[in-house]
Amino acid sequence: MFSKLSVVVTSVLITLAAATPTTIPVTPPTSNQCCSSVVDSSSTAVGAILAKLGIDLGDITIPVGLDCSPITILGNNCGGVTTRCDAPEIEWGGLIAINCIPITL
């Protein structure tokens, strides 16, 4: 009797575990950048640059780093704003970086 009950309970638990959706948060890769400035994407200057690059952010307002270069050596040798930005799938020649949050190294 108990062996049948344990088989049924185990089967139910396995079925529930398999049916439970799991979500793994996907975050874009980030990188440390040295940017000359960080401004909102809603500014007219950034809007013009984004338009020339063919990037449409819609109504999303995010911090955009201007004139950015990757920081490869640890230390605070950045002459501008040290930031952590989303690594773009396409490189824009250091012109901009998306979603830049100022950090302290």
Side-chain angles (χ1 to χ4, degrees):
M1 167 107 173
F2 285 114
S3 64
K4 289 182 182 180
L5 180 61
S6 65
V7 168
V8 170
V9 169
T10 303
S11 298
V12 168
L13 290 176
I14 290 172
T15 303
L16 287 174
T20 304
T22 57
T23 56
I24 300 172
V26 177
T27 55
T30 59
S31 66
N32 293 338
Q33 301 276 325
C34 180
C35 302
S36 62
S37 63
V38 176
V39 294
D40 280 340
S41 60
S42 61
S43 78
T44 52
V46 172
I49 294 170
L50 292 174
K52 287 202 181 279
L53 293 173
I55 301 169
D56 182 18
L57 296 177
D59 293 335
I60 300 172
T61 301
I62 58 172
V64 175
L66 300 176
D67 191 26
C68 299
S69 59
I71 297 175
T72 56
I73 301 172
L74 289 178
N76 194 2
N77 57 355
C78 176
V81 182
T82 306
T83 62
R84 185 131 181 107
C85 304
D86 290 347
E89 292 180 19
I90 304 169
E91 291 295 327
W92 295 300
L95 188 59
I96 63 166
I98 302 292
N99 201 22
C100 296
I101 309 298
I103 60 169
T104 303
L105 293 179

